[in-house]
Amino acid sequence: MEKRTIVAMPGDGIGKAVLIECIRVLDAAGFKANYVNGDIGWEFWCKEGNPLPERTIKLLEEHKIGLFGAITSKPKDKTATELAPELQGKGYIYYSPIVTMRQHFNLDICMRPCQTFKGNPLNFIRRGANGAIEEPVVDVMIFRQNTEGLYGGVEWTNPPDKVYDALMTHKKFVENFKWCPREELAVSTRILTKKYCTRIIKAAFEYAKKRGFNKITVSEKPNVVRETSGMMLKIAQEMSKAEYPDIKVEDINIDATMMWLTKNPENYNVIVASNMFGDIISDGFAGLIGGLGFATSAQFNPESGVAVFEPTHGSAPKYAEYETSIVNPIAMINSSVMMLEHIGEIEIANNIKKAVAEVVAEGKVRAYDMLKLKGTPDVINQGAASTKQMADAIIAKL
Ligand code: NAI
Ligand code: MG
């Protein structure tokens, strides 16, 4: 087997702790790889004035596949005061390295799986018809358009003349907003393109086909946001007709999705949405399967092949200072499973997935979040597994 090179980007805080354990699990599972370290995060903002140094971008360009822990970002005043003294006042501006990475590599497809692990005490439960407790099995993949929409960054406070004049050509703007002094106006656009809507929807159909699901759900709001959400829905409907006649398109508004997901989460398997709606839906579903200790994501560009896999949690800086790390490495480990699937290492991926499932189902080794403890340093004394012990338990199953 050819040895892969993986760009390992631990980042800040607990990103470091979970990535180290994840790589131990990958090694134990027999995944043959060279890991090259990619610098990213607050540390490099402070030292170099750039949280995503050019050398890391080069590494990703060359090796394509990245495993990423988490980074710290801080409010504006801290970005100035924590910058190395010799760099201060030299015009350095902080940009989120995650957003920069997404934009630089145009990582337009984001996949966020939310799948129930049997025996996880954090699983969502509900009351059934006769009062009995039910634990629905959640098995959903959220396809989030990752580069456009409300997070596209095209926005203004006190918009310039050309923008204001253009807005004034719209009847609704004149009717509803003309009264507002221009300097009190804030405008964030929601721009969607046919090309990238088509790509995310196509990815959703392909996944549905592979898994044998007979519908995809478009979670937008086409009855109100008629242009952009309307375009998403229309593309999906046309694609179903032309290319995937066996896969139906279900149209459920974003707000309704957030209501339905706690009533009947088992009814959804493939959801596709624009950037912000996909972000919201995936957090909603993640809450049903264990939250931040379990939520993972993949983002990639199908043309260039650059792909980055990461847990959705952040760097939890407070926890990073504990002598023994207590955070749950499963989100990170499951992100690496997505990486393995992406590069075709299906057998190793399945083995790791199975090992994680066994540890969770057995219930002997549980991180503090799974025991519903407050994350204090002494949780280990209360029976919680450390980050390393959790990884050890998974490795033992391999
Ligand atoms: P966070 O996700 O770092 O932590 C929130 C809370 O979730 C923690 O206090 C902890 O109780 C729990 N938690 C997180 N990861 C866990 C794990 N693996 N196992 C068990 N419990 C876990 O979010 P927070 O506190 O809002 O942000 C901290 C820093 O992380 C900030 O600087 C923020 O900007 C950054 N951040 C980075 C992200 C990324 O790198 N993708 C995403 C979210 C936040
Ligand atoms: Mg989010």
Side-chain angles (χ1 to χ4, degrees), residues 12 14 18 42 68-75 94 98 102 112 290-294 310-319 326-332 367-370 375:
D12 303 301
I14 64 164
V18 291
W42 191 251
F68 169 47
I71 53 105
T72 297
S73 53
K74 296 190 187 182
Y94 182 86
I98 300 178
R102 240 175 239 166
R112 291 186 166 181
L292 290 174
F294 288 83
E310 56 171 314
T312 61
H313 65 71
S315 62
K318 211 175 64 207
Y319 293 69
I326 62 160
V327 293
N328 194 342
I330 288 181
M332 181 78 239
Y368 84 94
D369 56 332
M370 299 169 74

Side-chain angles (χ1 to χ4, degrees), residues 199-232:
R199 261 158 76 136
I200 193 76
I201 292 165
K202 178 107 191 154
F205 272 116
E206 281 299 311
Y207 174 84
K209 188 170 147 191
K210 205 170 91 194
R211 292 279 317 268
F213 297 129
N214 61 9
K215 70 160 190 195
I216 67 163
T217 304
V218 176
S219 274
E220 284 289 322
K221 188 97 181 175
N223 55 328
V224 177
V225 196
R226 304 177 86 85
E227 301 304 326
T228 44
S229 289
M231 180 165 80
M232 278 283 260

Side-chain angles (χ1 to χ4, degrees), residues 18-297:
V18 291
L19 187 53
I20 286 175
E21 297 307 329
C22 175
I23 291 175
R24 279 208 307 128
V25 170
L26 286 166
D27 286 344
F31 177 54
K32 301 269 178 281
N34 295 314
Y35 296 93
V36 293
N37 186 74
D39 294 335
I40 187 171
W42 191 251
E43 188 186 334
F44 301 96
W45 162 252
C46 297
K47 287 201 292 214
E48 303 175 21
N50 184 357
L52 182 62
E54 193 54 36
R55 58 185 178 278
T56 306
I57 291 189
K58 286 264 152 56
L59 284 175
L60 278 170
E61 269 165 9
E62 186 182 345
H63 304 296
K64 312 276 191 217
I65 306 293
L67 255 185
F68 169 47
I71 53 105
T72 297
S73 53
K74 296 190 187 182
K76 214 169 168 183
D77 56 328
K78 294 252 163 70
T79 56
T81 54
E82 293 191 18
L83 191 60
E86 66 274 18
L87 300 177
Q88 288 190 16
K90 297 222 166 112
Y92 289 97
I93 300 173
Y94 182 86
Y95 294 105
S96 156
I98 300 178
V99 177
T100 308
M101 189 158 63
R102 240 175 239 166
Q103 288 173 340
H104 181 90
F105 292 107
N106 195 15
L107 304 173
D108 63 303
I109 311 266
C110 175
M111 289 169 71
R112 291 186 166 181
C114 294
Q115 288 167 332
T116 303
F117 281 97
K118 205 170 154 234
N120 185 353
L122 302 173
N123 286 344
F124 169 71
I125 52 171
R126 71 179 170 217
R127 207 171 285 286
N130 54 6
I133 298 293
E134 298 174 345
E135 191 176 309
V137 173
V138 180
D139 177 6
V140 59
M141 183 68 82
I142 289 118
F143 286 83
R144 164 189 174 192
Q145 206 296 324
N146 211 26
T147 46
E148 303 189 331
L150 260 173
Y151 298 172
V154 183
E155 49 184 11
W156 302 268
T157 294
N158 189 9
D161 288 350
K162 278 186 180 161
V163 175
Y164 190 80
D165 294 345
L167 290 170
M168 285 293 278
T169 65
H170 201 289
K171 184 166 160 273
K172 288 279 181 198
F173 186 84
V174 175
E175 279 171 17
N176 298 326
F177 301 104
K178 191 177 162 222
W179 61 268
C180 181
R182 208 208 288 196
E183 59 282 5
E184 292 179 18
L185 262 185
V187 181
S188 300
T189 63
R190 185 179 196 264
I191 302 172
L192 265 59
T193 65
K194 189 172 177 192
K195 173 175 176 179
Y196 289 104
C197 286
T198 303
R199 261 158 76 136
I200 193 76
I201 292 165
K202 178 107 191 154
F205 272 116
E206 281 299 311
Y207 174 84
K209 188 170 147 191
K210 205 170 91 194
R211 292 279 317 268
F213 297 129
N214 61 9
K215 70 160 190 195
I216 67 163
T217 304
V218 176
S219 274
E220 284 289 322
K221 188 97 181 175
N223 55 328
V224 177
V225 196
R226 304 177 86 85
E227 301 304 326
T228 44
S229 289
M231 180 165 80
M232 278 283 260
L233 181 61
K234 187 158 170 265
I235 292 170
Q237 286 166 337
E238 286 174 359
M239 202 183 288
S240 165
K241 248 188 237 154
E243 294 174 57
Y244 304 92
D246 300 331
I247 305 174
K248 283 190 315 239
V249 173
E250 178 180 51
D251 165 24
I252 299 195
N253 282 351
I254 164 72
D255 45 348
T257 307
M258 296 312 290
M259 183 268 293
W260 286 117
L261 69 82
T262 53
K263 299 199 86 151
N264 56 8
E266 67 273 44
N267 288 6
Y268 303 97
N269 298 112
V270 187
I271 297 184
V272 60
S274 56
N275 206 339
M276 186 195 193
F277 291 169
D279 198 12
I280 294 171
I281 297 163
S282 55
D283 272 15
F285 271 96
L288 307 180
I289 56 112
L292 290 174
F294 288 83
T296 72
S297 82

Side-chain angles (χ1 to χ4, degrees), residues 5 11 24 64 113 161 164 166 168 331 334 348 366 372 381:
T5 299
R24 279 208 307 128
K64 312 276 191 217
D161 288 350
Y164 190 80
M168 285 293 278
N334 284 344
I348 301 177
R366 286 179 169 165
K372 307 190 188 207
N381 299 330

